[in-house]
């Protein structure tokens, strides 16, 4: 299958700082990328959907000014957690879909964010 | 709106025994159905998917699932559990090809020697 690389795999930051997480499709062009959040021992919750070159569509209850998503190229999307607080600590996972013909999206390895 | 229910947050099986993970869904349109496996601190790996056609779907690592429209179910099975099958399993549904996924709550599988 196609490869999606997510970086960093883990990060610890101080309260009030911003953290950027990258999601790259390595061997295909990702027209759509999805960002999920997973709390410990829970399921994945979709945060937003981004299409290359356009603004992300956020799910209800997700603060777009806090979770900035950029999808500037067909191989890269970034999620920036701004002014992070301890409650933002979570596991963030991206997935990428390559074109309208694709019936599945491929997942990155996830990023464990800890805000102290 | 779509939803997915996985019965049993934890399942314990003996090595060599049958693995059965239950998934029921609701969808207003013909669904695309997926099973994923997640190992600790890792992303999700696709086990199998149903889009159209044959309702019995075979996936990787010996897993298979059957789409039963009348029961709105997509249960995952493996005839003989292996220690390496210990992981978290998620059932998911989407409305269309490559569309956003709605996940079930997950089932953690423990394999006893």
């Amino acid at each position: 299958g196609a490869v999606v690389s997510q970086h960093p795999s883990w990060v610890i930051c101080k309260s009030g700082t911003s953290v950027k997480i990258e999601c790259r499709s390595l061997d295909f062009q990702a027209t759509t990328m999805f960002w999920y959040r997973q709390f410990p021992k829970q399921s994945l919750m979709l945060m937003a959907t981004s299409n290359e070159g356009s603004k992300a569509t956020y799910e209800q209850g997700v603060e777009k000014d806090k979770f900035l998503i950029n999808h500037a190229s067909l191989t890269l999307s970034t999620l920036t957690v701004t002014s992070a607080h301890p409650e933002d600590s979570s596991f963030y996972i991206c997935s990428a879909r390559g074109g309208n013909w694709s019936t599945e999206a491929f997942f990155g390895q996830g990023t464990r964010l800890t805000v102290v | 709106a779509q939803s997915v229910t996985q019965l049993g947050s934890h399942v314990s099986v003996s090595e060599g025994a049958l693995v059965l993970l239950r998934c029921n869904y609701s969808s207003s349109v013909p669904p695309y159905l997926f099973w994923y496996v997640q190992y600790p601190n890792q992303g999700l790996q696709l086990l199998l998917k149903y889009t159209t056609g044959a309702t019995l779907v075979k996936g990787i690592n010996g897993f298979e699932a059957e789409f039963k429209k009348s029961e709105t179910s997509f249960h995952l099975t493996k005839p003989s559990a292996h220690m390496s099958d210990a992981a978290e399993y998620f059932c998911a549904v989407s409305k269309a090809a490559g569309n956003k996924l709605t996940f079930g709550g997950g089932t953690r599988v423990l394999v006893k020697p």
Side-chain angles (χ1 to χ4, degrees):
Chain A
V3 178
V4 174
S5 177
Q6 193 171 334
H7 179 81
S9 56
W10 61 270
V11 58
I12 301 173
C13 71
K14 291 184 177 180
S15 251
T17 62
S18 295
V19 173
K20 180 183 285 188
I21 302 170
E22 293 187 347
C23 181
R24 293 180 184 274
S25 57
L26 298 186
D27 49 4
F28 68 101
Q29 294 186 324
T31 55
T32 305
M33 286 190 173
F34 306 91
W35 286 95
Y36 296 86
R37 182 174 182 177
Q38 185 179 29
F39 290 103
K41 302 187 187 303
Q42 294 188 30
S43 189
L44 284 76
M45 300 298 294
L46 180 67
M47 299 174 66
T49 303
S50 72
N51 292 297
E52 184 266 338
S54 59
K55 290 185 178 180
T57 302
Y58 289 80
E59 294 299 301
Q60 191 171 9
V62 178
E63 300 175 59
K64 59 181 67 177
D65 293 332
K66 180 166 188 61
F67 298 100
L68 301 179
I69 292 172
N70 183 282
H71 191 170
S73 79
L74 284 171
T75 59
L76 174 65
S77 176
T78 60
L79 167 66
T80 301
V81 183
T82 63
S83 186
H85 288 93
E87 56 266 31
D88 298 324
S89 298
S90 192
F91 195 57
Y92 294 87
I93 307 176
C94 71
S95 70
R97 187 192 87 175
N100 294 327
W101 52 267
S102 176
T103 58
E104 71 177 277
F106 301 93
F107 284 80
Q109 311 96 308
T111 297
R112 170 76 58 195
L113 170 63
T114 302
V115 185
V116 298
Chain B
Q2 296 180 304
S3 67
V4 179
T5 302
Q6 290 182 239
L7 289 177
S9 59
H10 292 80
V11 168
S12 181
V13 298
S14 297
E15 191 173 18
L18 170 72
V19 179
L20 169 60
L21 305 182
R22 300 179 186 275
C23 172
N24 288 88
Y25 68 91
S26 68
S27 178
S28 57
V29 298
Y32 289 72
L33 295 159
F34 305 81
W35 274 101
Y36 288 90
V37 61
Q38 183 182 35
Y39 296 97
N41 293 310
Q42 293 188 29
L44 275 68
Q45 181 182 11
L46 180 68
L47 286 176
L48 48 79
K49 63 182 178 183
Y50 169 80
T51 54
T52 59
T55 57
L56 181 62
V57 181
K58 295 187 184 296
I60 63 171
N61 301 340
F63 285 94
E64 63 180 39
E66 186 171 12
F67 169 58
K68 292 187 177 181
K69 183 179 179 180
S70 61
E71 298 178 6
T72 60
S73 69
F74 191 55
H75 301 330
L76 181 71
T77 60
K78 181 173 180 177
S80 177
H82 191 272
M83 295 300 290
S84 60
D85 295 325
E88 185 95 23
Y89 292 79
F90 292 96
C91 181
V93 63
S94 70
K95 287 184 180 180
N99 206 350
K100 62 182 181 181
L101 294 166
T102 299
F103 286 89
T107 299
R108 184 169 298 277
V109 172
L110 172 66
V111 182
K112 298 177 292 185

